Amino acid sequence: MNDCLFCKIINGDIPSAKVYEDQHSYAFLDIKPINAGHTLLVPKKHFANLYEMPDDVLANLTPTIKKLAIAIKKSVGADGINIGMNNDSAAGQLVFHAHIHIMPRFKNDGHEHWHGKPYQDGEIDNVAQKIKANL
Ligand code: 5GP
Ligand code: ZN
């Protein structure tokens, strides 16, 4: 994709702090991290989001998520790691080249976890049923 920021980063047209690369994927530090070491892992091929990624592309990234999580945690002395992926604008996606956030967390780092909200009576079974029907 000619006008894709992350394709340009992968191609080296835009500089990045690369931490890992293999034939399938490229990982670099997020320019505006939630904490130092916040890394973005992207497939080298352009896919807009998770839904568009073929299963084999996703499968090739999975072990790298773990490898990076362990290395990042060790490197910045983090207390924990969040893995995240925003898909669609409503979920906070700003760059439409699929990417996985690997985010180091520290006790009392000031970032809030999302707030859960309870189901209404009977709603949980209804939602579970709908999801099962769509799989
Ligand atoms: P999204 O909201 O799409 O899941 O996340 C996009 C991420 O890309 C953001 O966390 C943002 O800080 C990061 N980002 C945006 N532009 C650049 C850039 O030019 N270089 C790097 N390294 N990260 C970027
Ligand atoms: Zn792209």
Side-chain angles (χ1 to χ4, degrees), residues 5-6 28-32 40 86 92-95 99 101:
L5 175 64
F6 288 174
F28 56 102
L29 297 187
D30 194 298
I31 208 164
K32 201 175 164 196
L40 301 174
N86 302 327
Q93 186 174 10
L94 296 171
V95 178
H99 54 281
H101 294 259

Side-chain angles (χ1 to χ4, degrees), residues 11-53:
N11 291 333
D13 299 333
I14 292 177
S16 67
K18 180 177 88 174
V19 296
Y20 178 81
E21 181 174 16
D22 63 24
Q23 60 175 307
H24 308 292
S25 65
Y26 187 100
F28 56 102
L29 297 187
D30 194 298
I31 208 164
K32 201 175 164 196
I34 69 150
N35 284 309
H38 179 166
T39 296
L40 301 174
L41 173 65
V42 301
K44 283 191 167 172
K45 281 195 199 159
H46 181 96
F47 301 101
N49 49 41
L50 178 69
Y51 330 122
E52 288 193 2
M53 281 169 72

Side-chain angles (χ1 to χ4, degrees), residues 47-122:
F47 301 101
N49 49 41
L50 178 69
Y51 330 122
E52 288 193 2
M53 281 169 72
D55 288 352
D56 63 317
V57 173
L58 187 59
N60 285 327
L61 291 189
T62 312
T64 310
I65 298 172
K66 177 173 140 186
K67 193 198 292 266
L68 284 167
I70 293 168
I72 293 163
K73 187 168 190 266
K74 193 172 165 189
S75 304
V76 300
D79 300 312
I81 295 279
N82 283 139
I83 308 293
M85 186 174 191
N86 302 327
N87 293 283
D88 300 316
S89 338
Q93 186 174 10
L94 296 171
V95 178
F96 291 85
H97 180 129
H99 54 281
I100 293 151
H101 294 259
I102 303 159
M103 298 166 282
R105 296 296 306 275
F106 297 86
K107 287 176 195 141
N108 306 316
D109 64 12
H111 296 298
E112 280 191 56
H113 200 53
W114 52 71
H115 300 282
K117 54 181 180 185
Y119 281 105
Q120 309 289 330
D121 278 354

